[in-house]
Amino acid sequence: MDADLLSIQPSAAEPIYRQIAAQLRRLITSARLQPGEELPSVREVAAHHAINPMTVSRAYGQLESEGLLERRRGKGMVVAESRRRPLSDARRLEQLDTRLAELAREAGELDLPAALVLERLRALLEK
Amino acid sequence: MNAVIAARDPALPVQCENLSKRYDTRTVLQDLSLAIPAGAVLGLIGRNGAGKSTLIRMLLGLQLPDAGVAHVFGEPSLRLSDAVKRRLGYVPQQPDALAWMRVGDMLDFVGRMYPKWDVAFVQRALQRWQLAPAQPLAKLSPGERQRVALIRALAVTPDLLVLDEPAAALDPVARRELLREIALRAGESGTTVLFSTNIVSDLERVASHVAFLHDSRLVLNTPLDELRDRYARLVIAVASVARIPQRLPGELSRRRRPDGSCAIVVARAPHEPWPALGGDTRLDLLGLEDLFIEVTE
């Protein structure tokens, strides 16, 4: 995997480590990153994006504790080979949380009834 | 007031207690205390003239405070030993020391005073940043001079790197390179970095901590990650202004806008929801730049 596969927005409200973690999670759960695939080193990512390496470490550490990444001796971080349990619906749904909350808030500002928004969302999902 | 200058923790790269400074009748710094942990990258933001350079100079013992003390690696800043000075890399805002020398000669000269001088780094950096060693420093542009000053500070392989508005004269490419250098050193060698800047996005990339200097005080001093996603501006429409409480939980500032609406900056504890005011209220998450503007306006 190349460090430039990640896109960093330093000025977004979301902390950089969470941006990285979220992107990696999506890449892994969508199988764009294969089990066993090596991730770029913390140093590489930090240097490429000119960000604090602790930020990268934190993102990697988070995914490691979620079982999505594994530390391999001599290789650094790799995508976990075996996940004992596939990620549940609830866990995958969590990844949409931020944007769902944002959507709900905007709908509130526009004074739209929930039923109408849900109907539209369902239509988009079922396409 | 601290009359006794006691020894401080040598593991703490830089700290100060109750620093105060006045220029004539103007109070620049008031009762300022700060401690920067090892390995931290602290970004200091403040409006122009807020006293960032003054604070930095007093932390390093380059300027006398009216009150308070500062320490570097446990030693009083006003009486730093050579051993501690050699662990420091400092780039002032307008570097002009040894300006009569040529680039290469200056770096050679300075390099001889530092046991950990990285000659290979100097050569690589001069090349990468296209600086001719034979050029007299006085003939360089401000941006080039700043780059030479940066090379000089970085080549020391300092344990504490202090930069006063290092990116002010640099173009975006050079700025990005500088951030890269800071990021790598902080990560790999655990270098502690203090830099003052008004380029907020730079800070958001590499800083681990951020401090706001405003009205002679440190208004904010927190780890950067704690700050994000914690501050928002609630905008209450004119019609609803009357019914909002006098003070909201976590409220930092409140002001009436020209159109009569009310803008309140609130901080929430992690994992807590935002205060729910209902009705005609808009919520804007505040990034660092917006937060700074709101708090210091």
Side-chain angles (χ1 to χ4, degrees):
Chain A
M1 179 199 145
D2 223 24
D4 64 14
L5 206 56
L6 296 167
S7 147
I8 311 286
Q9 286 175 301
S11 304
E14 195 167 30
I16 296 183
Y17 82 89
R18 279 225 297 263
Q19 293 179 36
I20 297 177
Q23 287 174 44
L24 284 174
R25 231 179 263 124
R26 278 201 290 276
L27 290 167
I28 294 172
T29 54
S30 67
R32 272 194 72 185
L33 288 178
Q34 295 291 307
E37 191 167 338
E38 236 178 281
L39 261 66
S41 66
V42 166
R43 183 191 207 274
E44 236 179 284
V45 178
H48 186 275
H49 294 280
I51 56 177
N52 197 311
M54 280 200 316
T55 301
V56 186
S57 279
R58 195 165 171 186
Y60 279 14
Q62 186 153 322
L63 290 177
E64 191 185 5
S65 64
E66 287 174 23
L68 290 172
L69 293 179
E70 277 169 358
R71 209 175 289 266
R72 282 293 167 72
R73 287 187 54 178
K75 262 184 157 205
M77 283 294 200
V78 301
V79 179
E81 295 273 14
S82 58
R83 285 203 296 277
R84 287 190 211 127
R85 282 161 280 135
L87 278 185
S88 63
D89 277 352
R91 288 293 311 284
R92 277 176 288 148
L93 190 62
E94 259 175 46
Q95 294 187 45
L96 291 180
D97 258 349
T98 318
R99 272 171 297 166
L100 286 175
E102 180 70 28
L103 180 72
R105 196 168 58 74
E106 269 191 65
E109 282 173 22
L110 291 166
D111 216 7
L112 285 167
L116 199 62
V117 180
L118 287 170
E119 202 184 298
R120 182 81 183 114
L121 184 58
R122 179 184 299 280
L124 288 167
L125 287 169
E126 287 175 352
K127 254 203 223 162
Chain B
M1 261 222 289
N2 280 318
V4 177
I5 300 179
R8 297 288 193 279
D9 184 2
L12 206 55
V14 58
Q15 65 173 141
C16 68
E17 285 149 44
N18 310 112
L19 279 184
S20 298
K21 183 73 184 172
R22 264 213 315 270
Y23 289 134
D24 295 326
T25 52
R26 191 166 82 89
T27 303
V28 175
L29 298 173
Q30 205 175 156
D31 230 10
L32 211 135
S33 301
L34 174 69
I36 304 180
V41 178
L42 174 66
L44 181 64
I45 323 181
R47 307 212 39 195
N48 292 336
K52 302 192 290 288
S53 297
T54 304
L55 174 59
I56 285 176
R57 283 195 298 266
M58 292 200 298
L59 285 172
L60 298 180
L62 296 167
Q63 192 169 359
L64 265 149
D66 290 331
V69 285
H71 288 76
V72 175
F73 291 117
E75 293 183 6
S77 302
L78 294 171
R79 286 196 311 274
L80 293 178
S81 65
D82 282 349
V84 164
K85 283 188 198 168
R86 276 189 228 119
R87 297 169 68 189
L88 270 178
Y90 169 52
V91 183
Q93 208 166 1
Q94 265 127 14
D96 55 13
L98 308 173
W100 70 90
M101 286 191 163
R102 295 184 299 178
V103 174
D105 293 338
M106 185 278 275
L107 291 168
D108 279 340
F109 174 66
V110 171
R112 268 178 264 143
M113 296 189 257
Y114 290 93
K116 289 196 293 172
W117 186 260
D118 189 348
V119 173
F121 168 77
V122 172
Q123 283 163 355
R124 274 195 326 265
L126 285 174
Q127 219 176 32
R128 205 166 59 225
W129 290 354
Q130 293 160 320
L131 298 159
Q135 269 277 57
L137 283 161
K139 289 220 173 127
L140 297 177
S141 71
E144 290 174 317
R145 218 171 304 154
Q146 190 147 51
R147 266 178 278 166
V148 173
L150 284 165
I151 293 176
R152 176 195 166 151
L154 292 169
V156 166
T157 41
D159 294 325
L160 173 62
L161 181 62
V162 182
L163 309 166
D164 194 349
E165 306 240 22
L170 300 180
D171 63 55
V173 174
R175 240 175 59 212
R176 187 59 65 90
E177 284 248 5
L178 169 64
L179 290 178
R180 200 159 296 167
E181 216 34 76
I182 293 176
L184 289 178
R185 278 159 196 266
E188 314 206 302
S189 352
T191 305
T192 307
V193 182
L194 165 62
F195 72 106
S196 69
T197 185
N198 280 329
I199 305 171
V200 178
S201 57
D202 282 357
L203 197 145
E204 286 169 319
R205 296 196 102 99
V206 297
S208 62
H209 293 70
V210 65
F212 285 6
L213 187 57
H214 178 62
D215 252 353
S216 75
R217 292 182 191 279
L218 275 182
V219 168
L220 199 75
N221 179 9
T222 72
L224 188 57
D225 279 339
E226 273 178 37
L227 188 141
R228 290 169 181 279
D229 214 13
R230 270 192 69 197
Y231 291 88
R233 172 179 51 216
L234 296 165
V235 181
I236 298 109
V238 190
S240 314
V241 170
R243 23 170 223 88
I244 45 172
Q246 283 280 60
R247 202 189 146 74
L248 295 174
E251 179 171 330
L252 270 154
S253 72
R254 176 187 291 225
R255 57 187 181 93
R256 291 300 285 264
R257 297 168 133 210
D259 65 0
S261 60
C262 185
I264 305 180
V265 177
V266 288
R268 63 164 176 176
H271 307 303
E272 292 260 309
W274 298 107
L277 293 177
D280 236 335
T281 312
R282 192 183 85 216
L283 182 131
D284 302 321
L285 286 177
L286 289 180
L288 193 54
E289 190 154 29
D290 286 331
L291 176 62
F292 179 65
I293 291 173
E294 283 287 339
V295 167
T296 62
E297 205 146 44

